[in-house]
Amino acid sequence: MNRITQKLQEDKKILSIYFSAGYPNLNDTVPIIQDLEKNGVDLIEIGLPFSDPLADGPTIQASSTQALHNGMTTQILFDQLKNIRESVKIPLIIMGYFNPMLQYGIEEFCKKCAEIGIDGLIIPDLPVDVYAAEYKAIFEKYGLINVFLITPQTSEERIRFIDSVSNGFIYMVSSASVTGSQAGFGNTQESYFERIAQMDLKNPQIVGFGISNKETFNQATKYAKGAIIGSAFIKHLSENGSRKIAEFVGEIR
C-alpha cells in the first residue's frame, strides 16, 4: 500500500510541510526532511524549483530562485534522495511544475520517483483531464499518487471529476490566490471548507495556502483531514537556516 494511503488512514490530523529542495543551501534537502520526520511531521512536500512558478507567492518564489542559483536540478534532487528510504519512513511527495518533468521524460521521471521511494506528485499546471487521458496509466504503473488542487471557484462537477480520478487526497486551496501565510481564515473560507466537507468525497482533503500557525492549522483541519504549511516554514528557514525545526513544528501542534 502506498505510504500516503496508509498515513491518511491514521486517526489523526495530518501536518504536511512544504519546502524548496536545495534551500537555503544546496545540500540541506535531506537533513531538513530527516529533521521534519524526527519532530513529528506526517508528510513532506519537496518542491522541485522552477524558473516560472505561477502558483507560488513571493516567499516560495524567492526560495525556488535561490535553490536554482544554488545549483539545484531535477537530477541533483534525485541524486540527493537516492538513499532517503534508509532513514525516512513518512510519505514524500514531489511538488513541481510540468515542464521540468516533461524535459526529463514523464515515464523516466515516474520510474525514478518509484526507485527512490517517492509516494506521489503534485503538479499544479497539469490539468486533470489531460492527466486522466494521457498520463494516469504511467503514474499507476509506478505506484505514484497524483494530487490535484481545487479552489473556492472550482465547480462541483469538476471537483467530483477530480475525486473520481484521484486515489490519495485532494489539495484544497484555501483561497483563489498564490501561496502565502495569513493571520486567519474568515467566514467565506470557513463556509468553503464546510461546503467541501459536506460533498462527502471519497478522497480526504488537505488544506493548503494560508496555514502559518497553530490557529490556522486548527481552523483548516476542523473540516479537513490535514493542512499544509509552506511559506511560513520557508520564512523560518530563511531566518534560522536548517536549525530550530523542532521549535517550528512544536508551535503548530
Side-chain angles (χ1 to χ4, degrees):
M1 184 187 291
N2 187 291
R3 278 174 284 258
I4 296 171
T5 308
Q6 289 179 309
K7 180 61 67 174
L8 292 169
Q9 291 176 354
E10 294 181 10
D11 185 22
K12 65 185 297 190
K13 296 297 185 180
I14 302 297
L15 172 59
S16 178
I17 297 286
Y18 168 94
F19 74 100
S20 299
Y23 181 84
N25 301 298
L26 181 62
N27 294 315
D28 285 341
T29 310
V30 169
I32 288 172
I33 292 170
Q34 291 169 333
D35 239 16
L36 286 170
E37 180 182 48
K38 185 173 72 176
N39 287 288
V41 169
D42 299 298
L43 191 155
I44 297 172
E45 296 172 19
I46 306 160
L48 179 60
F50 182 52
S51 57
D52 192 21
L54 296 176
D56 295 325
T59 300
I60 292 178
Q61 281 196 21
S63 70
S64 183
T65 299
Q66 183 59 52
L68 291 171
H69 287 162
N70 291 345
M72 179 54 69
T73 65
T74 302
Q75 189 57 55
I76 286 175
L77 177 58
F78 283 149
D79 291 343
Q80 288 181 346
L81 296 177
K82 65 182 179 182
N83 298 316
I84 193 68
R85 286 304 173 192
E86 293 176 7
S87 58
V88 173
K89 306 303 180 193
I90 61 173
L92 299 175
I93 294 175
I94 289 180
M95 184 170 186
Y97 293 85
F98 200 43
N99 188 274
M101 300 176 193
L102 270 176
Q103 290 181 344
Y104 199 88
I106 297 301
E107 178 139 15
E108 191 59 32
F109 189 93
C110 290
K111 181 181 178 184
K112 200 71 180 172
C113 285
E115 288 173 358
I116 288 166
I118 298 298
D119 303 290
L121 298 171
I122 301 173
I123 312 168
D125 59 341
L126 174 59
V128 61
D129 39 2
V130 175
Y131 165 77
E134 298 181 30
Y135 302 109
K136 189 170 187 281
I138 297 173
F139 279 61
E140 291 179 346
K141 176 181 176 181
Y142 293 102
L144 294 170
I145 285 174
N146 197 24
V147 177
F148 292 97
L149 285 69
I150 64 170
T151 75
Q153 281 68 45
T154 307
S155 69
E156 180 173 342
E157 180 184 17
R158 192 156 185 84
I159 290 171
R160 294 204 180 278
F161 178 62
I162 287 171
D163 191 43
S164 72
V165 301
S166 299
N167 59 346
F169 65 89
I170 292 172
Y171 189 131
M172 190 160 69
V173 176
S174 66
S175 60
S177 64
V178 296
T179 55
S181 58
Q182 59 190 50
F185 295 118
N187 292 336
T188 302
Q189 287 161 315
E190 288 260 7
S191 298
Y192 161 58
F193 297 159
E194 188 173 8
R195 173 170 61 86
I196 300 301
Q198 290 174 348
M199 287 180 68
D200 196 28
L201 303 173
K202 72 180 178 72
N203 291 280
Q205 301 89 55
I206 296 183
V207 179
F209 292 44
I211 321 295
S212 61
N213 52 32
K214 189 179 185 71
E215 179 190 357
T216 45
F217 179 81
N218 289 339
Q219 278 186 288
T221 56
K222 182 179 178 181
Y223 297 104
K225 177 63 176 174
I228 302 155
I229 297 177
S231 296
F233 181 64
I234 288 172
K235 286 177 184 174
H236 177 84
L237 292 177
S238 301
E239 294 166 4
N240 301 285
S242 56
R243 297 171 291 111
K244 299 186 179 180
I245 286 176
E247 284 181 28
F248 181 86
V249 177
E251 289 174 1
I252 307 298
R253 295 264 189 161

